[in-house]
């Protein structure tokens, strides 16, 4: 990790943190929640060693990036515009995009609005659908974490009963399961975790400390707004179709797979992403890039090399 460089870019009035390593075609990694740039640590080193430039920003209000003055007004479009600003500041015209969880939605949203800037894209744990996350409000139990965290103030009160390290640990434990976290009426989401439950074997105490330090700095204000409270935001395009080469990596034990499984296995997703390769990892959970870094790295580097534009040869 010591070779990863850390810089700040002024974009739309905010100082955004960007981790970077390597040179060559640019690959931008966009994190989910409760993740930050650090969740891509394994992939950044792998693509840099393969001859690419790995760029992993913290979204506004996350990690080392500045918290906006009114985090409750942050939208997915803000995140798309921030990425565009970062690319322009770096002079990058064409990019590979890699997104996990709600970062996958940002990747797809960016591709819809700026398809000419995208060489190819990869999403992990979430397939593109025209309605964003692809799960209607009516289809979710009222006690699901998505519905609970959509309520202004509810998650803040729930999280506030614990220190930040415990909150991050609990979310990682919950999201590692193959069932969506759902609380009873007399429970909150944090109550679903037995305090004696250990961290997943692939997530170390050092990893937890790194996440904790960054969330102690940023808090959860923006993280609860995007994705949860901005969830129903429209993509803003008339024809929601992504026509660049794409790959989806989905763990079969990811709780999201329960809700998107038929959409993927039936081929319905290819109506919107026709040039899509889908890779299923039988034991994969919601954090496949951290759980199985070598496997994901191999898939990613192979895909990037396949779609890398050849260098022009002199006449």
């Amino acid at each position: 990790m010591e070779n990863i460089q850390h810089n700040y870019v002024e974009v739309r009035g905010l100082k955004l943190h960007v981790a970077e390593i390597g040179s060559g075609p640019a690959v931008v990694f966009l994190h989910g929640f409760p993740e930050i740039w650090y969740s891509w640590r394994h992939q950044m080193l792998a693509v840099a060693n393969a001859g690419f430039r790995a760029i992993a920003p913290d979204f506004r209000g996350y990690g080392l990036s500045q918290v906006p003055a009114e985090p409750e007004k942050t939208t997915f479009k803000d995140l798309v515009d921030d990425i565009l600003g970062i690319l322009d500041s770096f002079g990058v015209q064409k990019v590979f995009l890699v997104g996990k969880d709600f970062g996958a939605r940002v990747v797809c949203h960016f591709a819809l609005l700026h398809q000419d800037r995208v060489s190819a894209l990869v999403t992990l744990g979430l397939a593109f659908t025209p309605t964003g996350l692809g799960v209607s409000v009516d289809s979710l139990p009222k006690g699901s974490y998505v519905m609970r965290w959509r309520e202004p103030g509810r998650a803040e009160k729930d999280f506030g009963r614990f220190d930040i390290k415990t909150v991050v640990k609990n979310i990682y434990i919950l999201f590692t399961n193959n069932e969506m976290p759902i609380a009873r009426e007399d429970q909150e989401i944090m109550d679903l975790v037995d305090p004696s439950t250990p961290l997943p074997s692939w997530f170390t105490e050092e990893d937890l400390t790194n996440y904790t330090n960054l969330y102690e700095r940023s808090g959860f204000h923006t993280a609860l707004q995007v994705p949860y409270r901005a969830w129903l935001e429209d993509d803003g395009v008339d024809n929601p179709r992504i026509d660049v080469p794409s790959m989806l990596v989905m763990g079969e034990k990811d709780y999201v797979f329960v809700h998107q499984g038929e959409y993927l296995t039936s081929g319905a997703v290819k109506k919107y992403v026709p040039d899509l390769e889908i890779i299923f990892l039988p034991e994969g959970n919601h954090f496949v890039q951290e759980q199985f870094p070598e496997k994901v790295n191999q898939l990613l580097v192979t895909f990037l090399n396949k779609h890398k534009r050849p260098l022009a040869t002199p006449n």
Side-chain angles (χ1 to χ4, degrees), residues 8-41:
Y8 289 87
V9 180
E10 188 84 21
V11 177
R12 304 173 64 229
L14 292 175
K15 284 181 65 176
L16 302 182
H17 168 253
V18 181
E20 184 178 2
I21 186 171
S23 60
V27 185
V28 173
F29 293 90
L30 303 181
H31 62 80
F33 175 76
E35 296 147 307
I36 30 86
W37 78 266
Y38 181 80
S39 65
W40 297 112
R41 59 200 179 278

PDB file of all heavy atoms in Angstrom, residues 8-41:
ATOM      1  N   TYR A   8      -5.302  15.429  -3.682  1.00  0.00           N
ATOM      2  CA  TYR A   8      -6.604  16.096  -3.575  1.00  0.00           C
ATOM      3  C   TYR A   8      -6.859  16.894  -4.840  1.00  0.00           C
ATOM      4  O   TYR A   8      -5.948  17.535  -5.379  1.00  0.00           O
ATOM      5  CB  TYR A   8      -6.653  17.005  -2.346  1.00  0.00           C
ATOM      6  CG  TYR A   8      -6.695  16.235  -1.043  1.00  0.00           C
ATOM      7  CD1 TYR A   8      -5.523  15.840  -0.422  1.00  0.00           C
ATOM      8  CD2 TYR A   8      -7.914  15.879  -0.472  1.00  0.00           C
ATOM      9  CE1 TYR A   8      -5.549  15.109   0.761  1.00  0.00           C
ATOM     10  CE2 TYR A   8      -7.962  15.148   0.704  1.00  0.00           C
ATOM     11  CZ  TYR A   8      -6.773  14.769   1.319  1.00  0.00           C
ATOM     12  OH  TYR A   8      -6.815  14.039   2.481  1.00  0.00           O
ATOM     13  N   VAL A   9      -8.091  16.821  -5.310  1.00  0.00           N
ATOM     14  CA  VAL A   9      -8.488  17.540  -6.511  1.00  0.00           C
ATOM     15  C   VAL A   9      -9.654  18.459  -6.154  1.00  0.00           C
ATOM     16  O   VAL A   9     -10.619  18.023  -5.506  1.00  0.00           O
ATOM     17  CB  VAL A   9      -8.922  16.558  -7.626  1.00  0.00           C
ATOM     18  CG1 VAL A   9      -9.332  17.319  -8.874  1.00  0.00           C
ATOM     19  CG2 VAL A   9      -7.805  15.570  -7.929  1.00  0.00           C
ATOM     20  N   GLU A  10      -9.548  19.718  -6.546  1.00  0.00           N
ATOM     21  CA  GLU A  10     -10.642  20.671  -6.317  1.00  0.00           C
ATOM     22  C   GLU A  10     -11.675  20.481  -7.420  1.00  0.00           C
ATOM     23  O   GLU A  10     -11.394  20.708  -8.608  1.00  0.00           O
ATOM     24  CB  GLU A  10     -10.095  22.104  -6.350  1.00  0.00           C
ATOM     25  CG  GLU A  10     -11.109  23.157  -5.929  1.00  0.00           C
ATOM     26  CD  GLU A  10     -11.196  23.344  -4.421  1.00  0.00           C
ATOM     27  OE1 GLU A  10     -10.241  22.971  -3.716  1.00  0.00           O
ATOM     28  OE2 GLU A  10     -12.218  23.874  -3.961  1.00  0.00           O
ATOM     29  N   VAL A  11     -12.853  20.032  -7.040  1.00  0.00           N
ATOM     30  CA  VAL A  11     -13.915  19.767  -8.012  1.00  0.00           C
ATOM     31  C   VAL A  11     -15.220  20.351  -7.498  1.00  0.00           C
ATOM     32  O   VAL A  11     -15.672  19.996  -6.405  1.00  0.00           O
ATOM     33  CB  VAL A  11     -14.093  18.251  -8.263  1.00  0.00           C
ATOM     34  CG1 VAL A  11     -15.261  18.008  -9.226  1.00  0.00           C
ATOM     35  CG2 VAL A  11     -12.822  17.638  -8.825  1.00  0.00           C
ATOM     36  N   ARG A  12     -15.768  21.275  -8.245  1.00  0.00           N
ATOM     37  CA  ARG A  12     -17.089  21.832  -7.930  1.00  0.00           C
ATOM     38  C   ARG A  12     -17.146  22.335  -6.493  1.00  0.00           C
ATOM     39  O   ARG A  12     -18.111  22.123  -5.774  1.00  0.00           O
ATOM     40  CB  ARG A  12     -18.176  20.793  -8.212  1.00  0.00           C
ATOM     41  CG  ARG A  12     -18.152  20.281  -9.644  1.00  0.00           C
ATOM     42  CD  ARG A  12     -19.112  19.131  -9.890  1.00  0.00           C
ATOM     43  NE  ARG A  12     -20.478  19.556  -9.694  1.00  0.00           N
ATOM     44  CZ  ARG A  12     -21.366  18.893  -8.960  1.00  0.00           C
ATOM     45  NH1 ARG A  12     -21.025  17.784  -8.339  1.00  0.00           N
ATOM     46  NH2 ARG A  12     -22.591  19.348  -8.851  1.00  0.00           N
ATOM     47  N   GLY A  13     -16.075  22.992  -6.070  1.00  0.00           N
ATOM     48  CA  GLY A  13     -16.046  23.622  -4.758  1.00  0.00           C
ATOM     49  C   GLY A  13     -15.678  22.720  -3.603  1.00  0.00           C
ATOM     50  O   GLY A  13     -15.698  23.155  -2.452  1.00  0.00           O
ATOM     51  N   LEU A  14     -15.319  21.464  -3.887  1.00  0.00           N
ATOM     52  CA  LEU A  14     -14.959  20.530  -2.824  1.00  0.00           C
ATOM     53  C   LEU A  14     -13.583  19.935  -3.093  1.00  0.00           C
ATOM     54  O   LEU A  14     -13.198  19.708  -4.240  1.00  0.00           O
ATOM     55  CB  LEU A  14     -15.975  19.382  -2.732  1.00  0.00           C
ATOM     56  CG  LEU A  14     -17.387  19.718  -2.271  1.00  0.00           C
ATOM     57  CD1 LEU A  14     -18.267  18.474  -2.371  1.00  0.00           C
ATOM     58  CD2 LEU A  14     -17.390  20.261  -0.851  1.00  0.00           C
ATOM     59  N   LYS A  15     -12.837  19.655  -2.015  1.00  0.00           N
ATOM     60  CA  LYS A  15     -11.567  18.950  -2.129  1.00  0.00           C
ATOM     61  C   LYS A  15     -11.846  17.454  -2.048  1.00  0.00           C
ATOM     62  O   LYS A  15     -12.283  16.952  -1.005  1.00  0.00           O
ATOM     63  CB  LYS A  15     -10.617  19.376  -1.005  1.00  0.00           C
ATOM     64  CG  LYS A  15      -9.993  20.745  -1.198  1.00  0.00           C
ATOM     65  CD  LYS A  15      -9.055  21.070  -0.038  1.00  0.00           C
ATOM     66  CE  LYS A  15      -7.876  20.134   0.005  1.00  0.00           C
ATOM     67  NZ  LYS A  15      -6.905  20.494   1.078  1.00  0.00           N
ATOM     68  N   LEU A  16     -11.616  16.767  -3.153  1.00  0.00           N
ATOM     69  CA  LEU A  16     -11.887  15.334  -3.210  1.00  0.00           C
ATOM     70  C   LEU A  16     -10.583  14.557  -3.173  1.00  0.00           C
ATOM     71  O   LEU A  16      -9.634  14.868  -3.897  1.00  0.00           O
ATOM     72  CB  LEU A  16     -12.663  14.996  -4.481  1.00  0.00           C
ATOM     73  CG  LEU A  16     -14.008  15.712  -4.657  1.00  0.00           C
ATOM     74  CD1 LEU A  16     -14.689  15.246  -5.951  1.00  0.00           C
ATOM     75  CD2 LEU A  16     -14.920  15.476  -3.462  1.00  0.00           C
ATOM     76  N   HIS A  17     -10.555  13.541  -2.330  1.00  0.00           N
ATOM     77  CA  HIS A  17      -9.364  12.703  -2.192  1.00  0.00           C
ATOM     78  C   HIS A  17      -9.329  11.650  -3.286  1.00  0.00           C
ATOM     79  O   HIS A  17     -10.353  11.018  -3.590  1.00  0.00           O
ATOM     80  CB  HIS A  17      -9.370  12.008  -0.827  1.00  0.00           C
ATOM     81  CG  HIS A  17      -8.353  10.923  -0.715  1.00  0.00           C
ATOM     82  ND1 HIS A  17      -8.701   9.582  -0.720  1.00  0.00           N
ATOM     83  CD2 HIS A  17      -6.997  10.964  -0.627  1.00  0.00           C
ATOM     84  CE1 HIS A  17      -7.610   8.853  -0.607  1.00  0.00           C
ATOM     85  NE2 HIS A  17      -6.561   9.661  -0.551  1.00  0.00           N
ATOM     86  N   VAL A  18      -8.136  11.473  -3.872  1.00  0.00           N
ATOM     87  CA  VAL A  18      -7.952  10.482  -4.927  1.00  0.00           C
ATOM     88  C   VAL A  18      -6.689   9.676  -4.632  1.00  0.00           C
ATOM     89  O   VAL A  18      -5.600  10.242  -4.491  1.00  0.00           O
ATOM     90  CB  VAL A  18      -7.826  11.145  -6.311  1.00  0.00           C
ATOM     91  CG1 VAL A  18      -7.663  10.079  -7.390  1.00  0.00           C
ATOM     92  CG2 VAL A  18      -9.047  12.010  -6.613  1.00  0.00           C
ATOM     93  N   ALA A  19      -6.839   8.368  -4.529  1.00  0.00           N
ATOM     94  CA  ALA A  19      -5.697   7.465  -4.417  1.00  0.00           C
ATOM     95  C   ALA A  19      -5.313   7.010  -5.816  1.00  0.00           C
ATOM     96  O   ALA A  19      -6.188   6.793  -6.665  1.00  0.00           O
ATOM     97  CB  ALA A  19      -6.046   6.272  -3.540  1.00  0.00           C
ATOM     98  N   GLU A  20      -4.006   6.847  -6.058  1.00  0.00           N
ATOM     99  CA  GLU A  20      -3.565   6.588  -7.429  1.00  0.00           C
ATOM    100  C   GLU A  20      -2.263   5.801  -7.437  1.00  0.00           C
ATOM    101  O   GLU A  20      -1.396   5.999  -6.589  1.00  0.00           O
ATOM    102  CB  GLU A  20      -3.383   7.931  -8.145  1.00  0.00           C
ATOM    103  CG  GLU A  20      -3.032   7.823  -9.599  1.00  0.00           C
ATOM    104  CD  GLU A  20      -2.918   9.193 -10.262  1.00  0.00           C
ATOM    105  OE1 GLU A  20      -3.080  10.220  -9.566  1.00  0.00           O
ATOM    106  OE2 GLU A  20      -2.647   9.219 -11.470  1.00  0.00           O
ATOM    107  N   ILE A  21      -2.131   4.912  -8.427  1.00  0.00           N
ATOM    108  CA  ILE A  21      -0.882   4.175  -8.617  1.00  0.00           C
ATOM    109  C   ILE A  21      -0.830   3.686 -10.059  1.00  0.00           C
ATOM    110  O   ILE A  21      -1.859   3.356 -10.658  1.00  0.00           O
ATOM    111  CB  ILE A  21      -0.773   2.976  -7.631  1.00  0.00           C
ATOM    112  CG1 ILE A  21       0.598   2.321  -7.738  1.00  0.00           C
ATOM    113  CG2 ILE A  21      -1.883   1.962  -7.854  1.00  0.00           C
ATOM    114  CD1 ILE A  21       0.872   1.271  -6.663  1.00  0.00           C
ATOM    115  N   GLY A  22       0.384   3.659 -10.621  1.00  0.00           N
ATOM    116  CA  GLY A  22       0.582   3.103 -11.951  1.00  0.00           C
ATOM    117  C   GLY A  22       0.505   4.130 -13.060  1.00  0.00           C
ATOM    118  O   GLY A  22       0.227   5.313 -12.841  1.00  0.00           O
ATOM    119  N   SER A  23       0.758   3.647 -14.276  1.00  0.00           N
ATOM    120  CA  SER A  23       0.674   4.490 -15.468  1.00  0.00           C
ATOM    121  C   SER A  23       0.116   3.655 -16.603  1.00  0.00           C
ATOM    122  O   SER A  23       0.196   2.424 -16.593  1.00  0.00           O
ATOM    123  CB  SER A  23       2.060   5.043 -15.833  1.00  0.00           C
ATOM    124  OG  SER A  23       2.967   3.984 -16.091  1.00  0.00           O
ATOM    125  N   GLY A  24      -0.441   4.339 -17.600  1.00  0.00           N
ATOM    126  CA  GLY A  24      -1.076   3.644 -18.708  1.00  0.00           C
ATOM    127  C   GLY A  24      -2.536   4.031 -18.798  1.00  0.00           C
ATOM    128  O   GLY A  24      -2.957   5.047 -18.229  1.00  0.00           O
ATOM    129  N   PRO A  25      -3.351   3.238 -19.498  1.00  0.00           N
ATOM    130  CA  PRO A  25      -4.782   3.531 -19.584  1.00  0.00           C
ATOM    131  C   PRO A  25      -5.403   3.636 -18.190  1.00  0.00           C
ATOM    132  O   PRO A  25      -5.084   2.855 -17.301  1.00  0.00           O
ATOM    133  CB  PRO A  25      -5.342   2.328 -20.352  1.00  0.00           C
ATOM    134  CG  PRO A  25      -4.170   1.791 -21.118  1.00  0.00           C
ATOM    135  CD  PRO A  25      -2.975   2.029 -20.267  1.00  0.00           C
ATOM    136  N   ALA A  26      -6.285   4.616 -18.014  1.00  0.00           N
ATOM    137  CA  ALA A  26      -6.841   4.899 -16.688  1.00  0.00           C
ATOM    138  C   ALA A  26      -7.990   3.955 -16.347  1.00  0.00           C
ATOM    139  O   ALA A  26      -8.880   3.710 -17.172  1.00  0.00           O
ATOM    140  CB  ALA A  26      -7.329   6.338 -16.617  1.00  0.00           C
ATOM    141  N   VAL A  27      -7.963   3.445 -15.122  1.00  0.00           N
ATOM    142  CA  VAL A  27      -9.039   2.623 -14.567  1.00  0.00           C
ATOM    143  C   VAL A  27      -9.507   3.305 -13.289  1.00  0.00           C
ATOM    144  O   VAL A  27      -8.735   3.429 -12.330  1.00  0.00           O
ATOM    145  CB  VAL A  27      -8.551   1.191 -14.248  1.00  0.00           C
ATOM    146  CG1 VAL A  27      -9.727   0.328 -13.776  1.00  0.00           C
ATOM    147  CG2 VAL A  27      -7.855   0.564 -15.442  1.00  0.00           C
ATOM    148  N   VAL A  28     -10.754   3.749 -13.273  1.00  0.00           N
ATOM    149  CA  VAL A  28     -11.300   4.451 -12.111  1.00  0.00           C
ATOM    150  C   VAL A  28     -12.173   3.491 -11.319  1.00  0.00           C
ATOM    151  O   VAL A  28     -13.100   2.879 -11.863  1.00  0.00           O
ATOM    152  CB  VAL A  28     -12.107   5.693 -12.533  1.00  0.00           C
ATOM    153  CG1 VAL A  28     -12.804   6.319 -11.338  1.00  0.00           C
ATOM    154  CG2 VAL A  28     -11.177   6.715 -13.189  1.00  0.00           C
ATOM    155  N   PHE A  29     -11.872   3.370 -10.030  1.00  0.00           N
ATOM    156  CA  PHE A  29     -12.586   2.470  -9.130  1.00  0.00           C
ATOM    157  C   PHE A  29     -13.517   3.286  -8.236  1.00  0.00           C
ATOM    158  O   PHE A  29     -13.067   4.212  -7.544  1.00  0.00           O
ATOM    159  CB  PHE A  29     -11.594   1.707  -8.251  1.00  0.00           C
ATOM    160  CG  PHE A  29     -10.713   0.742  -8.997  1.00  0.00           C
ATOM    161  CD1 PHE A  29      -9.492   1.157  -9.510  1.00  0.00           C
ATOM    162  CD2 PHE A  29     -11.102  -0.578  -9.177  1.00  0.00           C
ATOM    163  CE1 PHE A  29      -8.665   0.269 -10.187  1.00  0.00           C
ATOM    164  CE2 PHE A  29     -10.283  -1.475  -9.851  1.00  0.00           C
ATOM    165  CZ  PHE A  29      -9.057  -1.051 -10.359  1.00  0.00           C
ATOM    166  N   LEU A  30     -14.793   2.920  -8.206  1.00  0.00           N
ATOM    167  CA  LEU A  30     -15.782   3.641  -7.411  1.00  0.00           C
ATOM    168  C   LEU A  30     -16.374   2.707  -6.351  1.00  0.00           C
ATOM    169  O   LEU A  30     -16.927   1.655  -6.671  1.00  0.00           O
ATOM    170  CB  LEU A  30     -16.881   4.205  -8.313  1.00  0.00           C
ATOM    171  CG  LEU A  30     -16.382   5.136  -9.432  1.00  0.00           C
ATOM    172  CD1 LEU A  30     -17.551   5.653 -10.259  1.00  0.00           C
ATOM    173  CD2 LEU A  30     -15.583   6.296  -8.856  1.00  0.00           C
ATOM    174  N   HIS A  31     -16.250   3.112  -5.111  1.00  0.00           N
ATOM    175  CA  HIS A  31     -16.597   2.264  -3.973  1.00  0.00           C
ATOM    176  C   HIS A  31     -18.095   2.273  -3.672  1.00  0.00           C
ATOM    177  O   HIS A  31     -18.857   3.090  -4.180  1.00  0.00           O
ATOM    178  CB  HIS A  31     -15.818   2.705  -2.735  1.00  0.00           C
ATOM    179  CG  HIS A  31     -16.128   4.115  -2.297  1.00  0.00           C
ATOM    180  ND1 HIS A  31     -17.252   4.446  -1.573  1.00  0.00           N
ATOM    181  CD2 HIS A  31     -15.457   5.284  -2.476  1.00  0.00           C
ATOM    182  CE1 HIS A  31     -17.265   5.738  -1.315  1.00  0.00           C
ATOM    183  NE2 HIS A  31     -16.181   6.281  -1.862  1.00  0.00           N
ATOM    184  N   GLY A  32     -18.500   1.351  -2.799  1.00  0.00           N
ATOM    185  CA  GLY A  32     -19.868   1.306  -2.289  1.00  0.00           C
ATOM    186  C   GLY A  32     -19.902   1.758  -0.840  1.00  0.00           C
ATOM    187  O   GLY A  32     -19.047   2.521  -0.385  1.00  0.00           O
ATOM    188  N   PHE A  33     -20.896   1.282  -0.090  1.00  0.00           N
ATOM    189  CA  PHE A  33     -21.013   1.577   1.335  1.00  0.00           C
ATOM    190  C   PHE A  33     -21.044   0.254   2.097  1.00  0.00           C
ATOM    191  O   PHE A  33     -21.747  -0.667   1.673  1.00  0.00           O
ATOM    192  CB  PHE A  33     -22.290   2.373   1.617  1.00  0.00           C
ATOM    193  CG  PHE A  33     -22.528   2.613   3.088  1.00  0.00           C
ATOM    194  CD1 PHE A  33     -21.787   3.571   3.763  1.00  0.00           C
ATOM    195  CD2 PHE A  33     -23.463   1.868   3.788  1.00  0.00           C
ATOM    196  CE1 PHE A  33     -21.981   3.781   5.127  1.00  0.00           C
ATOM    197  CE2 PHE A  33     -23.669   2.087   5.148  1.00  0.00           C
ATOM    198  CZ  PHE A  33     -22.926   3.039   5.811  1.00  0.00           C
ATOM    199  N   PRO A  34     -20.268   0.128   3.173  1.00  0.00           N
ATOM    200  CA  PRO A  34     -19.571   1.160   3.945  1.00  0.00           C
ATOM    201  C   PRO A  34     -18.124   1.360   3.508  1.00  0.00           C
ATOM    202  O   PRO A  34     -17.256   1.684   4.328  1.00  0.00           O
ATOM    203  CB  PRO A  34     -19.627   0.603   5.357  1.00  0.00           C
ATOM    204  CG  PRO A  34     -19.446  -0.881   5.148  1.00  0.00           C
ATOM    205  CD  PRO A  34     -20.207  -1.180   3.870  1.00  0.00           C
ATOM    206  N   GLU A  35     -17.858   1.187   2.245  1.00  0.00           N
ATOM    207  CA  GLU A  35     -16.484   1.204   1.765  1.00  0.00           C
ATOM    208  C   GLU A  35     -15.991   2.622   1.473  1.00  0.00           C
ATOM    209  O   GLU A  35     -16.758   3.578   1.467  1.00  0.00           O
ATOM    210  CB  GLU A  35     -16.387   0.314   0.528  1.00  0.00           C
ATOM    211  CG  GLU A  35     -16.694  -1.150   0.837  1.00  0.00           C
ATOM    212  CD  GLU A  35     -17.362  -1.870  -0.301  1.00  0.00           C
ATOM    213  OE1 GLU A  35     -18.380  -1.361  -0.793  1.00  0.00           O
ATOM    214  OE2 GLU A  35     -16.866  -2.932  -0.700  1.00  0.00           O
ATOM    215  N   ILE A  36     -14.689   2.693   1.207  1.00  0.00           N
ATOM    216  CA  ILE A  36     -14.038   3.922   0.760  1.00  0.00           C
ATOM    217  C   ILE A  36     -12.964   3.479  -0.251  1.00  0.00           C
ATOM    218  O   ILE A  36     -12.960   2.321  -0.673  1.00  0.00           O
ATOM    219  CB  ILE A  36     -13.437   4.740   1.935  1.00  0.00           C
ATOM    220  CG1 ILE A  36     -13.000   3.823   3.097  1.00  0.00           C
ATOM    221  CG2 ILE A  36     -14.457   5.704   2.495  1.00  0.00           C
ATOM    222  CD1 ILE A  36     -11.652   3.257   2.982  1.00  0.00           C
ATOM    223  N   TRP A  37     -12.090   4.365  -0.676  1.00  0.00           N
ATOM    224  CA  TRP A  37     -11.081   3.999  -1.687  1.00  0.00           C
ATOM    225  C   TRP A  37     -10.337   2.726  -1.301  1.00  0.00           C
ATOM    226  O   TRP A  37      -9.986   1.917  -2.170  1.00  0.00           O
ATOM    227  CB  TRP A  37     -10.081   5.145  -1.882  1.00  0.00           C
ATOM    228  CG  TRP A  37      -9.042   5.210  -0.785  1.00  0.00           C
ATOM    229  CD1 TRP A  37      -9.089   5.955   0.347  1.00  0.00           C
ATOM    230  CD2 TRP A  37      -7.838   4.436  -0.719  1.00  0.00           C
ATOM    231  NE1 TRP A  37      -7.981   5.705   1.136  1.00  0.00           N
ATOM    232  CE2 TRP A  37      -7.199   4.782   0.509  1.00  0.00           C
ATOM    233  CE3 TRP A  37      -7.228   3.495  -1.553  1.00  0.00           C
ATOM    234  CZ2 TRP A  37      -5.982   4.209   0.901  1.00  0.00           C
ATOM    235  CZ3 TRP A  37      -6.018   2.921  -1.152  1.00  0.00           C
ATOM    236  CH2 TRP A  37      -5.408   3.289   0.060  1.00  0.00           C
ATOM    237  N   TYR A  38     -10.118   2.533  -0.001  1.00  0.00           N
ATOM    238  CA  TYR A  38      -9.300   1.434   0.516  1.00  0.00           C
ATOM    239  C   TYR A  38      -9.865   0.063   0.131  1.00  0.00           C
ATOM    240  O   TYR A  38      -9.122  -0.923   0.080  1.00  0.00           O
ATOM    241  CB  TYR A  38      -9.217   1.582   2.033  1.00  0.00           C
ATOM    242  CG  TYR A  38      -8.381   0.554   2.750  1.00  0.00           C
ATOM    243  CD1 TYR A  38      -6.992   0.660   2.801  1.00  0.00           C
ATOM    244  CD2 TYR A  38      -8.980  -0.517   3.405  1.00  0.00           C
ATOM    245  CE1 TYR A  38      -6.221  -0.276   3.482  1.00  0.00           C
ATOM    246  CE2 TYR A  38      -8.221  -1.455   4.082  1.00  0.00           C
ATOM    247  CZ  TYR A  38      -6.840  -1.328   4.117  1.00  0.00           C
ATOM    248  OH  TYR A  38      -6.093  -2.260   4.791  1.00  0.00           O
ATOM    249  N   SER A  39     -11.150  -0.017  -0.147  1.00  0.00           N
ATOM    250  CA  SER A  39     -11.747  -1.305  -0.497  1.00  0.00           C
ATOM    251  C   SER A  39     -11.200  -1.850  -1.820  1.00  0.00           C
ATOM    252  O   SER A  39     -11.362  -3.032  -2.113  1.00  0.00           O
ATOM    253  CB  SER A  39     -13.268  -1.197  -0.562  1.00  0.00           C
ATOM    254  OG  SER A  39     -13.666  -0.348  -1.610  1.00  0.00           O
ATOM    255  N   TRP A  40     -10.541  -0.982  -2.607  1.00  0.00           N
ATOM    256  CA  TRP A  40      -9.966  -1.392  -3.890  1.00  0.00           C
ATOM    257  C   TRP A  40      -8.458  -1.638  -3.790  1.00  0.00           C
ATOM    258  O   TRP A  40      -7.784  -1.737  -4.816  1.00  0.00           O
ATOM    259  CB  TRP A  40     -10.222  -0.316  -4.941  1.00  0.00           C
ATOM    260  CG  TRP A  40     -11.655  -0.087  -5.239  1.00  0.00           C
ATOM    261  CD1 TRP A  40     -12.402   1.024  -4.961  1.00  0.00           C
ATOM    262  CD2 TRP A  40     -12.545  -0.991  -5.904  1.00  0.00           C
ATOM    263  NE1 TRP A  40     -13.688   0.875  -5.405  1.00  0.00           N
ATOM    264  CE2 TRP A  40     -13.811  -0.360  -5.992  1.00  0.00           C
ATOM    265  CE3 TRP A  40     -12.389  -2.277  -6.441  1.00  0.00           C
ATOM    266  CZ2 TRP A  40     -14.910  -0.962  -6.587  1.00  0.00           C
ATOM    267  CZ3 TRP A  40     -13.493  -2.884  -7.028  1.00  0.00           C
ATOM    268  CH2 TRP A  40     -14.731  -2.228  -7.099  1.00  0.00           C
ATOM    269  N   ARG A  41      -7.914  -1.740  -2.579  1.00  0.00           N
ATOM    270  CA  ARG A  41      -6.458  -1.835  -2.399  1.00  0.00           C
ATOM    271  C   ARG A  41      -5.841  -2.973  -3.205  1.00  0.00           C
ATOM    272  O   ARG A  41      -4.763  -2.806  -3.803  1.00  0.00           O
ATOM    273  CB  ARG A  41      -6.116  -1.967  -0.910  1.00  0.00           C
ATOM    274  CG  ARG A  41      -6.746  -3.193  -0.228  1.00  0.00           C
ATOM    275  CD  ARG A  41      -6.783  -3.005   1.282  1.00  0.00           C
ATOM    276  NE  ARG A  41      -7.395  -4.148   1.968  1.00  0.00           N
ATOM    277  CZ  ARG A  41      -8.713  -4.309   2.091  1.00  0.00           C
ATOM    278  NH1 ARG A  41      -9.560  -3.443   1.541  1.00  0.00           N
ATOM    279  NH2 ARG A  41      -9.193  -5.349   2.750  1.00  0.00           N
TER     280      ARG A  41
END
